[in-house]
Amino acid sequence: MEQQYVQVMTIAGSDSDGSAGMQADLHTFFTRKVYGVSVLTACVAGNSYGIGASVPLPTDFIDKEFELLADDYQVKAAKTGMLADATLINTVVKNIQRYDFGPLVVDPVIMTKHGNQLLEEEALTTLKTALLPLAEVVTPNFYEAEKLTGLKLRAEEDYEKAAKILQELGPKNVLIKGHHTSDSNQQTVRDYVRLASGKTFWLEAPFYATDRINGTGDSLSACIAAELAKGETVEAAIRIAKQYVNQAIKEELFIGHKYGPINHWAASTID
């Protein structure tokens, strides 16, 4: 009965309040009925009000995590989250190339959904040239897509151009997450998808005016990885993930005081 459950890997930092990062990934894996293993890259001290401190882990320790997991587990897909600097990105790239962990989903955590940059320029270049070429799927948000491509996304054709540019950087499939504006009249969020086959489509869902959205991007990419590990096509995995996250935002979870987590329990019944 060994290895009877599908195993998926998250490569990310630990978020102490449980709303984002590795914890959000593991919540998602659990509700998608896959077994999650983890390569811890950093530790973040924070709560619903914000982050108070963060500490990166030594690269030799990260190497050992990869080595021991590869020696024992049969990981069928992996995903990355926030990688703090160029050294860490190169460490992850080296190990992804060394071991077979199945298709890789890259959540390029560069900028927040409000447009604040999280990654230094040197690390951004390393992400583009070293990590993105390894991705089966890349899932930038609106601002990250602009940063990676140098385009301003104003019209549908801008998203189409950006997705093509991103594919040229190496990822086989691209999901550009839609813009969350400050407009109180916003009704929907639309994501643009370009597959390796050249097929393109838009995913549309209601916009929910809530501050309970911590871990949205982490959970989306984690769900895609989970579904790929279970054998779903990339298109099916993306569609399931979109529905999953939409349901988790719709049914608010009131934990913490300010920017709370999404509701993974509410999304657990998504087929």
Side-chain angles (χ1 to χ4, degrees), residues 18-29:
S19 69
M22 180 172 293
Q23 281 82 348
D25 295 339
L26 293 174
H27 292 330
T28 304
F29 292 161

Side-chain angles (χ1 to χ4, degrees), residues 6 8 31-34 76-77 223 225-232:
V6 174
V8 186
T31 54
R32 295 313 299 162
K33 297 180 174 60
V34 297
K76 298 300 183 182
C223 188
E227 298 309 312
L228 292 177
K230 291 190 286 186
E232 294 286 358

Side-chain angles (χ1 to χ4, degrees), residues 22-171:
M22 180 172 293
Q23 281 82 348
D25 295 339
L26 293 174
H27 292 330
T28 304
F29 292 161
F30 183 81
T31 54
R32 295 313 299 162
K33 297 180 174 60
V34 297
Y35 183 83
V37 299
S38 57
V39 170
L40 183 63
T41 60
C43 294
V44 175
N47 57 25
S48 68
Y49 292 111
I51 293 172
S54 63
V55 178
L57 269 68
T59 56
D60 58 348
F61 179 84
I62 296 171
D63 286 338
K64 183 59 69 173
E65 290 182 280
F66 276 110
E67 175 191 339
L68 294 179
L69 289 173
D71 187 53
D72 191 18
Y73 293 88
Q74 295 177 8
V75 175
K76 298 300 183 182
K79 65 141 296 186
T80 62
M82 184 176 179
L83 304 176
D85 53 38
T87 298
L88 181 50
I89 294 172
N90 281 322
T91 299
V92 170
V93 166
K94 174 186 67 178
N95 283 285
I96 290 294
Q97 292 174 323
R98 177 177 295 167
Y99 307 110
D100 180 9
F101 294 123
L104 178 68
V105 179
V106 173
D107 182 10
V109 183
I110 303 166
M111 305 183 78
T112 69
K113 60 178 61 67
H114 304 295
N116 300 313
Q117 186 159 336
L118 301 171
L119 202 62
E120 61 189 25
E121 291 297 322
E122 179 187 358
L124 175 62
T125 300
T126 304
L127 185 147
K128 290 172 67 174
T129 60
L131 184 60
L132 289 190
L134 304 180
E136 183 72 24
V137 185
V138 65
T139 62
N141 65 28
F142 173 86
Y143 293 106
E144 290 163 346
E146 289 192 330
K147 187 69 176 178
L148 288 167
T149 64
L151 298 178
K152 293 295 183 183
L153 305 185
R154 298 294 180 263
E156 288 191 359
E157 55 264 31
D158 299 325
Y159 283 81
E160 295 166 6
K161 292 175 184 176
K164 289 180 181 179
I165 292 173
L166 287 169
Q167 273 191 333
E168 290 170 358
L169 293 174

Side-chain angles (χ1 to χ4, degrees), residues 139-210:
T139 62
N141 65 28
F142 173 86
Y143 293 106
E144 290 163 346
E146 289 192 330
K147 187 69 176 178
L148 288 167
T149 64
L151 298 178
K152 293 295 183 183
L153 305 185
R154 298 294 180 263
E156 288 191 359
E157 55 264 31
D158 299 325
Y159 283 81
E160 295 166 6
K161 292 175 184 176
K164 289 180 181 179
I165 292 173
L166 287 169
Q167 273 191 333
E168 290 170 358
L169 293 174
K172 295 176 184 176
N173 304 275
V174 176
L175 164 61
I176 300 176
K177 292 174 279 190
H179 195 195
H180 294 245
T181 71
S182 57
D183 183 357
S184 60
N185 295 318
Q186 183 173 358
Q187 298 294 316
T188 61
V189 177
R190 301 179 75 221
D191 302 337
Y192 182 74
V193 180
R194 182 177 179 85
L195 301 178
S197 65
K199 179 179 179 179
T200 65
F201 55 92
W202 290 88
L203 292 172
E204 184 171 305
F207 173 76
Y208 300 107
T210 175

